Amino acid sequence: MKNIIIVDMQKGFMKETNCYLIEKINKYLREYNFDNIFFTKCVNNSESPYTKILNWNGITNEDEQEIVCDVSKEAKILTKNCYGLSSENIKLFKNLGITEMEICGTDTDACCLAIAFNLFDNNIKPIVLSDLCASSSRNKNIHNNALEIMKRQFGSDNIK
């Protein structure tokens, strides 16, 4: 079973440092057949930790929240208001019999990392597609540092 989760590829997160991912991810989705395709959609609101803890007010309107990759009819949109996945999302994966999941999107050092840990902690093997991940940070080391953390935590064989 081939599964993929495309993380937070939304208009409000696209910067010059990560917008090149849009076409790369679209091409990857066209080239391979997936049993399950998931997109995460960050929706920041007054109850989210972004607002309550960080006082960050981005990704609050529909324009910023718009997914910029091609979303097929078969894809499932998982709405979230934090870095990682909800227990309902994990339950969905378990009910579908998912035992491993490819991960791509933005930001490598935040949501992609958190989702990899969510999957791992729920006995779902995370496979990080490093060429299809990026950080919106201007510091290029952040993406590479996050990949190094994931190699150490999940095994270098699971970082492609």
Side-chain angles (χ1 to χ4, degrees), residues 5-150:
I5 188 165
I6 299 99
V7 179
D8 296 351
M9 290 296 294
Q10 296 167 248
K11 194 182 278 186
F13 289 128
M14 293 298 102
K15 310 284 186 242
E16 64 185 49
T17 55
N18 64 354
C19 64
Y20 70 92
L21 285 179
I22 298 167
E23 188 48 42
K24 284 183 81 168
I25 290 172
N26 286 340
K27 183 178 184 231
Y28 188 75
L29 291 173
R30 287 190 303 268
E31 288 178 358
Y32 295 94
N33 291 319
F34 293 93
D35 296 291
N36 294 290
I37 300 171
F38 302 95
F39 283 86
T40 64
K41 180 178 181 179
C42 182
V43 177
N44 192 14
N45 56 40
S46 61
E47 295 303 309
S48 84
Y50 298 121
T51 300
K52 287 179 135 183
I53 297 171
L54 298 178
N55 292 321
W56 181 68
N57 295 308
I59 313 298
T60 56
N61 66 58
E62 287 183 23
D63 186 54
E64 292 175 308
Q65 295 167 4
E66 181 184 339
I67 295 173
V68 294
C69 289
D70 297 335
V71 180
S72 67
K73 291 179 283 189
E74 302 82 29
K76 295 167 189 74
I77 309 293
L78 308 175
T79 302
K80 63 186 189 67
N81 71 350
C82 59
Y83 292 120
L85 299 168
S86 68
S87 57
E88 291 82 22
N89 297 151
I90 297 297
K91 186 183 283 188
L92 170 65
F93 299 161
K94 294 287 192 173
N95 288 340
L96 291 170
I98 294 172
T99 58
E100 62 181 51
M101 179 85 71
E102 292 182 355
I103 303 167
C104 66
T106 195
D107 280 345
T108 316
D109 53 299
C111 296
C112 293
L113 179 63
I115 288 170
F117 274 106
N118 284 151
L119 295 172
F120 182 87
D121 288 348
N122 285 280
N123 210 22
I124 299 171
K125 179 180 174 181
I127 302 167
V128 179
L129 305 174
S130 61
D131 288 346
L132 298 179
C133 291
S135 177
S136 58
S137 170
R138 294 191 191 280
N139 181 340
K140 294 183 184 202
N141 291 328
I142 288 183
H143 166 78
N144 292 329
N145 291 343
L147 291 174
E148 287 302 313
I149 290 168
M150 289 190 266

